Amino acid sequence: MEKIFDALFEGALIPAVLVVLAVRFWLAKVAAIVPEPYLDEFFHVKQAEFYLQGRWDNWHPKITTPPGLYLVSYVILSFLDAVGLSASHSGGGIASSLRHTIFYCVTMWFPREINRLMRLEPFDAERNTKSTNTKSTSRWLIGEFNHALFNICVFPPLFFFYGLYYTDVVSAHSVLLAYSLFSQGRTKSFVLAGLCSLFFRQTNIFWVAVFFGGLQVCRSLRTGRPGIEFPERPTVVDVVEGSWQHSCVYNPLVSQACFEDYLKFGLSIAIAGLANLRTILGLLLPQLFLLGAFCAFVLWNQGVVLGISPAPVPSKCDKENHIASIHLPQMLYIWPYFTFFSLPLLYPYILNGIVPLKIVPRFLRSRSIKHRFPRLVVAVPIVITMLMIVHYNTIVHPFTLADNRHYMFYVFRLLLRHPFIRYASVPVYALCAWAAITSLGGLPDGQNSSQTPIPPRTEIKHNLLFKLPPPSTTLPSGNRVSFVLVWLLATSLSLITAPLVEPRYFIIPWLIWRLHVPRSDSDKLGSLNSTEAQKRPGTQSGNVIRSLLYQRHDHRLWLETIWFLAINWATGYIFLHRGFEWPQEPGKVQRFIW
């Protein structure tokens, strides 16, 4: 039975099968109701047809991203053709065949790489080592990982595009593959995966070079220990002296950091980096190589955006509509996006942050979260900065208000209905940003603190399929300030250069953020311990089911599952069954899309 448990849970077989079945169901529905290419699929399918026909010198001018998607489709469909399994490539069947190449990528790569990333032990900066030993992780913890894996795979903006021939799904997979290889220390494979990632979307350079490069720098520099290299609450002078003398970085946990600690970390890593410049440059060679390759492409292409064909088809070039520009409000829009989709994870922070503790349910009440709320001297300048960004840098791309098939059309219609709404939204941006960043530190009061041991619980023994092993006595310590700043830097660079606001652009930042949201101890979320559970009347199997649902399982994961499935059902139903017609195009069904 133990081997069965290992195969089902440690191998992430159950969530992988569920994801494959869900994606297959969605693909079948889309193929039955929308067999022809829809919206931007028309250009992607046409370009893929060029490659499948061997017309390698043709480039559709409406396409502004690299040809990685079409190369992957060419390889997969050519292989299926060779073994006699490929669908017809003529007529309406070509769109279905190409959409299925996304399905094959999901089946082969996505759940597996997410599983690997979630099982990697957090990097220990004090020992400068990392471990990938999954056997040391309790099986009940692995059960929560598998649940989170399924939730990540069905993230609504990602899941929706499993059924359409767009670049975003494969692009996200390529970044996560590179992340997995980087975390395992497989440098050569990481460089190859990073190069492949650049073939899907240009902005991936900010992840494979800047994000991973920033993590590499932070990992190469030892974290200073409180009370040894640095005082418990160091001043700026203490940080400068400790960083230079000990060549270490002031890098506190997010759960223990205030706003000034982020500034001190930036100063500390700059000083420690200069003191170890030669070593750091040597470690950054893979990321510098990727950056150099990207710069060579930009010089060859005479710009970042594609869209000019050596043998153009008769159509207007779309390059001028996607020229990079400075669009700072993107870093405001991302926080309501995170909060909307991840409300089941963030609601304890929001409740404790803005609601009086007396009316917060006892099992969610936390004074530590309340104390993490930024002080006025910090919050006021941040809100003023956001107001200035909204006032001076709000950009509304012509495409945004010209196409009512996208949900963003209705969001911006609301924002632009009255000038007051734009400015009134700023406190919402600030609150959502605080909740998303604070969540990277984990739930406090022992819910996610490596310094707070969990009381041992009596194991429930039974003769069913598997037994509940005792949980580990300590929990992960959460992320450090370094991760937050590196992630914010890569996210900012990948978003503020895009003039168009689309939910698809936020997928990779959300994936990286979600992978790093620490798990929570179920005991601190209103669950009963095992001893109390055993005192309840009922069978042992009933105790197992209750433990699986909420007693030994983070209930937020179930809320997240229900929320994601509800959004996927609603958006899928609207896309398939609530189409409409434009007066200028009678008889042609228009459908709502992210």
Side-chain angles (χ1 to χ4, degrees):
M1 291 303 173
E2 193 160 322
K3 292 182 178 179
I4 295 176
F5 187 98
D6 290 344
L8 293 178
F9 289 90
E10 292 194 11
L13 180 60
I14 290 179
V17 170
L18 291 175
V19 169
V20 169
L21 292 176
V23 174
R24 188 68 187 87
F25 175 79
W26 172 235
L27 264 175
K29 288 293 184 180
V30 174
I33 299 176
V34 193
E36 297 295 329
Y38 179 69
L39 214 61
D40 289 359
E41 272 193 312
F42 175 81
F43 313 120
H44 294 305
V45 168
K46 191 65 177 179
Q47 184 60 42
E49 283 187 296
F50 288 157
Y51 282 14
L52 291 172
Q53 297 166 2
R55 298 163 60 185
W56 301 99
D57 59 338
N58 282 84
W59 185 259
H60 200 292
K62 286 287 186 180
I63 298 175
T64 59
T65 52
L69 175 65
Y70 323 119
L71 293 174
V72 168
S73 299
Y74 176 83
V75 171
I76 292 177
L77 293 181
S78 297
F79 171 77
L80 293 177
D81 268 342
V83 297
L85 297 177
S86 179
S88 173
H89 290 174
S90 61
I94 181 61
S96 178
S97 297
L98 292 172
R99 288 167 180 168
H100 273 77
T101 61
I102 305 293
F103 172 73
Y104 300 138
C105 291
V106 172
T107 304
M108 292 185 294
W109 298 111
F110 201 34
R112 186 179 70 170
E113 296 311 324
I114 291 180
N115 182 46
R116 286 180 176 177
L117 283 169
M118 297 189 72
R119 291 167 188 273
L120 290 173
E121 294 292 338
F123 182 84
D124 191 334
E126 295 182 7
R127 293 196 300 267
N128 283 321
T129 59
K130 62 179 182 293
S131 170
T132 58
N133 183 14
T134 60
K135 294 293 184 181
S136 64
T137 308
S138 72
R139 287 177 179 163
W140 204 248
L141 185 63
I142 288 175
E144 287 191 340
F145 278 177
N146 285 325
H147 192 166
L149 186 155
F150 174 80
N151 289 350
I152 292 172
C153 289
V154 298
F155 176 55
L158 186 70
F159 185 84
F160 185 89
F161 288 102
Y162 288 151
L164 299 177
Y165 193 59
Y166 274 63
T167 305
D168 305 273
V169 172
V170 185
S171 174
H173 292 189
S174 69
V175 172
L176 293 186
L177 174 61
Y179 196 4
S180 176
L181 296 170
F182 168 79
S183 299
Q184 297 173 60
R186 298 167 59 182
T187 304
K188 294 180 180 179
S189 299
F190 160 70
V191 172
L192 180 59
L195 287 173
C196 292
S197 180
L198 298 180
F199 273 82
F200 295 107
R201 193 174 285 279
Q202 296 92 322
T203 52
N204 287 349
I205 186 62
F206 299 121
W207 297 104
V208 299
V210 177
F211 179 68
F212 299 139
L215 292 183
Q216 185 64 56
V217 171
C218 296
R219 291 178 174 186
S220 64
L221 298 173
R222 186 167 55 91
T223 297
R225 294 163 293 182
I228 301 179
E229 285 85 4
F230 298 105
E232 292 292 338
R233 299 303 300 178
T235 64
V236 173
V237 175
D238 295 329
V239 169
V240 172
E241 291 179 351
S243 301
W244 183 259
Q245 293 176 2
H246 303 287
S247 296
C248 59
V249 178
Y250 177 66
N251 190 14
L253 296 170
V254 173
S255 58
Q256 301 169 359
C258 61
F259 180 78
E260 292 85 345
D261 289 322
Y262 289 86
L263 302 179
K264 292 174 183 176
F265 166 78
L267 177 63
S268 178
I269 197 170
I271 295 172
L274 289 175
N276 299 270
L277 186 59
R278 182 176 298 181
T279 301
I280 289 176
L281 289 177
L283 293 172
L284 287 179
L285 286 178
Q287 289 79 17
L288 293 175
F289 173 79
L290 293 173
L291 188 60
F294 181 76
C295 291
F297 158 76
V298 172
L299 292 175
W300 170 79
N301 188 56
Q302 298 180 358
V304 175
V305 180
L306 294 172
I308 298 179
S309 172
V313 294
S315 178
K316 183 181 177 182
C317 176
D318 202 37
K319 185 173 183 177
E320 63 274 11
N321 293 317
H322 297 275
I323 299 298
S325 59
I326 303 300
H327 190 192
L328 297 176
Q330 293 271 32
M331 286 306 296
L332 304 182
Y333 305 143
I334 189 175
W335 306 118
Y337 176 95
F338 276 32
T339 304
F340 172 76
F341 288 111
S342 296
L343 186 61
L345 298 178
L346 299 180
Y347 84 93
Y349 302 93
I350 296 173
L351 281 179
N352 283 279
I354 64 176
V355 176
L357 288 179
K358 292 183 179 180
I359 63 176
V360 175
R362 184 179 296 275
F363 73 98
L364 293 173
R365 193 177 301 168
S366 172
R367 295 188 180 276
S368 296
I369 291 181
K370 198 79 171 180
H371 292 158
R372 289 194 206 174
F373 211 71
R375 308 182 306 278
L376 281 178
V377 70
V378 173
V380 170
I382 291 176
V383 171
I384 291 175
T385 302
M386 290 182 171
L387 288 169
M388 294 177 63
I389 290 174
V390 169
H391 184 76
Y392 292 105
N393 196 227
T394 296
I395 298 175
V396 182
H397 196 281
F399 286 0
T400 302
L401 297 180
D403 193 340
N404 64 348
R405 295 171 294 183
H406 293 272
Y407 291 117
M408 292 309 299
F409 170 86
Y410 302 95
V411 173
F412 271 86
R413 279 188 62 181
L414 176 62
L415 284 175
L416 300 177
R417 180 168 296 177
H418 190 281
F420 173 77
I421 298 178
R422 286 193 297 166
Y423 301 110
S425 301
V426 167
V428 177
Y429 299 151
L431 175 64
C432 294
W434 170 80
I437 293 175
T438 302
S439 68
L440 292 172
L443 288 168
D445 295 335
Q447 295 169 32
N448 189 55
S449 173
S450 61
Q451 299 174 355
T452 305
I454 302 175
R457 294 181 282 193
T458 305
E459 182 178 324
I460 302 175
K461 296 183 179 180
H462 49 85
N463 55 2
L464 296 177
L465 178 61
F466 58 85
K467 61 183 180 181
L468 298 177
S472 56
T473 57
T474 59
L475 288 169
S477 58
N479 300 281
R480 293 188 178 270
V481 166
S482 57
F483 170 78
V484 176
L485 290 182
V486 172
W487 173 77
L488 282 175
L489 176 62
T491 300
S492 300
L493 292 174
S494 65
L495 292 179
I496 64 175
T497 54
L500 190 61
V501 181
E502 288 204 34
R504 296 180 291 132
Y505 296 167
F506 301 122
I507 288 176
I508 294 178
W510 183 90
L511 287 173
I512 302 295
W513 171 83
R514 181 61 184 86
L515 285 169
H516 282 265
V517 173
R519 68 176 290 270
S520 299
D521 177 22
S522 301
D523 286 346
K524 293 296 182 179
L525 291 175
S527 62
L528 299 173
N529 61 35
S530 298
T531 303
E532 293 174 334
Q534 292 182 85
K535 293 179 181 178
R536 284 186 164 190
T539 63
Q540 291 178 333
S541 59
N543 290 334
V544 173
I545 294 174
R546 284 193 295 270
S547 294
L548 175 64
L549 292 177
Y550 61 90
Q551 289 175 353
R552 300 265 298 272
H553 201 83
D554 188 348
H555 77 279
R556 298 180 304 164
L557 294 177
W558 294 111
L559 295 178
E560 186 180 40
T561 302
I562 295 170
W563 182 234
F564 282 0
L565 294 181
I567 295 175
N568 285 330
W569 177 85
T571 54
Y573 179 82
I574 291 171
F575 175 76
L576 296 176
H577 303 291
R578 285 294 179 264
F580 61 98
E581 291 185 8
W582 283 343
Q584 64 270 29
E585 295 183 15
K588 184 176 182 180
V589 179
Q590 309 296 335
R591 303 179 186 276
F592 294 101
I593 193 173
W594 285 111

